[in-house]
Amino acid sequence: MVRTVFEKPDAIALVAEVFRELGYEGASMSKITARTKLSKGSLYHFFPGGKEQMAAEIMAHIDAWFVTEMFEPLEGEKPRAAIARMWETTDSYFRSGRRVCLIGAFALDETRDRFSAAIRGYFHRWIEALAGALLKAGLSGTKARALAEEAVIGIQGALTLARALGDETIFGRSLARLKQRLETALD
Amino acid sequence: MVRTVFEKPDAIALVAEVFRELGYEGASMSKITARTKLSKGSLYHFFPGGKEQMAAEIMAHIDAWFVTEMFEPLEGEKPRAAIARMWETTDSYFRSGRRVCLIGAFALDETRDRFSAAIRGYFHRWIEALAGALLKAGLSGTKARALAEEAVIGIQGALTLARALGDETIFGRSLARLKQRLETALD
DNA sequence: TTTTTAATAGACCGATCAGTTTAGGAGGTC
DNA sequence: GACCTCCTAAACTGATCGGTCTATTAAAAA
């Protein structure tokens, strides 16, 4: 019998993409097994708490990635460099608009109520970290916060529109515009 | 036997709210009957094509409403008045950020693939109508289009963030900012 | 009053749902 | 080789899924 052995981090990454594409409710266990090639037994072995545990761990994993790759740099001692890098990280992570934000998608239906703290925490920290970097880079508190909020809103909106219209260039244009907006404000 | 009689438009409106709150996949027929008080028999009487027909008719209904209340005025002879009214209409329709955009939510998972033309059509027309109004109000074609796209992206992003953070004021702030942005560009 | 029409109720159907369970496979340790 | 551990496979379970269908109700039409 030929079989592939997965480790849990592999499982997390694979299942994450299924949730991202199908949403929480649309991602039945059958669809998850079919798309990941992990069996039901394996999935429950790694995630004894079931589907909800999968989603929670995936979100924690995504959050941790953002903390390392984006939030902590923004909270660090080189705000301008971190802000510049944020755009690259954002473009890369969302595959230039071809990949939706799983946490944002979970926010839109009642899935939000299962994971409200995680969802809120992720977006709150993103805005706070960016606002903090803008503040350190020289903007007033009010201006920093408004721009941070505008940037994260623009990113989420661009992901939705890019997907709705089947046009990835929308995401690229929006990132460039938002980046320019922040740079102009910092000059 | 006491029973309530609904007409189809009532059914459309009620079912729409279930889809809006639960998404397409999360809105099982049982949940729809429980939340609308329409029986399964009634639902299939009005929508013999089943769940997919419901969603399609709901989307068509929403689109028709936007055409009447927003897109056609934007396409009409008083662009500035129509743009000003668009903000009020948007705030009102989305209940100041308390109500998600059903069509936007459907765009984020594979529900999009069932209704791609309707989803694309709705956002495309919104952007085109707004860009046309901005053009007629005096902006260059390039500027008009970029601002229209920015506005619709900002609205969708603000809806997502307001819901994710459980903070409706985000939506109000974003509308005010976008409105100001367009007015500044028109001066 | 009787008939027709539109809407409602809810039992029923086969398929699928999330989760449970048992058996087995493969590598590592002793 | 025997035992242990981790992972995999897939049958099974009761509940729920979307859809079908029959009977009923109430209002409108004849």
Side-chain angles (χ1 to χ4, degrees), chain B residues 100-182:
Chain B
V100 306
C101 172
L102 180 151
I103 297 178
F106 276 10
L108 291 181
D109 62 16
E110 285 189 1
T111 308
R112 182 196 65 166
D113 303 329
R114 294 174 186 264
F115 307 113
S116 61
I119 292 170
R120 208 182 308 119
Y122 167 77
F123 285 112
H124 180 77
R125 188 157 179 187
W126 193 345
I127 291 170
E128 288 299 313
L130 180 56
L134 290 168
L135 187 67
K136 279 187 218 151
L139 294 190
S140 72
T142 305
K143 188 72 180 172
R145 190 172 169 79
L147 279 175
E149 187 173 283
E150 182 183 337
V152 178
I153 284 170
I155 290 163
Q156 290 300 312
L159 285 170
T160 300
L161 263 292
R163 187 166 166 88
L165 289 164
D167 177 4
E168 301 154 17
T169 63
I170 291 175
F171 189 67
R173 281 201 293 281
S174 294
L175 282 202
R177 168 175 49 83
L178 290 164
K179 179 180 178 182
Q180 183 62 244
R181 177 129 169 77
L182 265 55

Side-chain angles (χ1 to χ4, degrees), chain A residues 40-60:
Chain A
K40 214 118 155 250
S42 290
L43 287 168
Y44 280 97
H45 173 75
F46 290 130
F47 308 103
K51 201 172 157 190
E52 192 155 312
Q53 183 184 343
M54 286 181 216
E57 291 201 17
I58 284 162
M59 291 172 78

Side-chain angles (χ1 to χ4, degrees), chain A residues 25 106-115, chain B residues 18 20-23 31 35 163:
Chain A
E25 293 293 334
F106 277 9
L108 290 181
D109 63 13
E110 285 190 1
T111 309
R112 183 197 64 167
D113 303 331
R114 294 173 186 269
F115 308 111
Chain B
V18 183
R20 194 187 299 276
E21 288 163 9
L22 303 183
K31 285 179 185 169
R35 290 179 181 219
R163 187 166 166 88

Side-chain angles (χ1 to χ4, degrees), chain A residues 18-136:
Chain A
V18 182
F19 276 126
R20 194 188 299 276
E21 289 163 7
L22 304 183
Y24 185 78
E25 293 293 334
S28 67
M29 296 302 290
S30 303
K31 285 179 184 168
I32 293 172
T33 56
R35 291 179 180 218
T36 61
K37 307 304 180 201
L38 282 145
S39 70
K40 214 118 155 250
S42 290
L43 287 168
Y44 280 97
H45 173 75
F46 290 130
F47 308 103
K51 201 172 157 190
E52 192 155 312
Q53 183 184 343
M54 286 181 216
E57 291 201 17
I58 284 162
M59 291 172 78
H61 181 80
I62 290 170
D63 191 76
W65 188 91
F66 270 81
V67 168
T68 301
E69 300 293 329
M70 200 186 290
F71 301 161
E72 275 175 356
L74 288 171
E75 291 158 359
E77 302 307 317
K78 303 180 181 180
R80 286 179 183 250
I83 293 166
R85 188 174 148 197
M86 183 189 87
W87 300 114
E88 293 161 28
T89 305
T90 300
D91 190 59
S92 171
Y93 180 80
F94 295 116
R95 304 286 188 270
S96 303
R98 290 191 294 282
R99 189 156 98 138
V100 305
C101 173
L102 179 150
I103 297 178
F106 277 9
L108 290 181
D109 63 13
E110 285 190 1
T111 309
R112 183 197 64 167
D113 303 331
R114 294 173 186 269
F115 308 111
S116 62
I119 293 170
R120 209 181 308 120
Y122 168 78
F123 285 112
H124 181 76
R125 187 158 181 186
W126 193 345
I127 291 170
E128 289 299 313
L130 179 56
L134 290 168
L135 187 66
K136 278 186 216 151

Side-chain angles (χ1 to χ4, degrees), chain B residues 48-123:
Chain B
K51 202 172 157 192
E52 191 155 312
Q53 185 187 340
M54 286 180 217
E57 291 201 17
I58 285 163
M59 291 172 79
H61 181 80
I62 290 171
D63 191 77
W65 188 91
F66 270 81
V67 167
T68 302
E69 301 294 329
M70 198 186 294
F71 301 159
E72 276 175 356
L74 288 171
E75 291 159 357
E77 302 306 319
K78 304 180 181 179
R80 287 179 181 248
I83 293 166
R85 188 175 146 196
M86 182 187 89
W87 300 113
E88 292 160 31
T89 304
T90 300
D91 191 57
S92 171
Y93 180 80
F94 295 115
R95 305 285 188 271
S96 304
R98 288 191 295 281
R99 189 156 96 139
V100 306
C101 172
L102 180 151
I103 297 178
F106 276 10
L108 291 181
D109 62 16
E110 285 189 1
T111 308
R112 182 196 65 166
D113 303 329
R114 294 174 186 264
F115 307 113
S116 61
I119 292 170
R120 208 182 308 119
Y122 167 77
F123 285 112

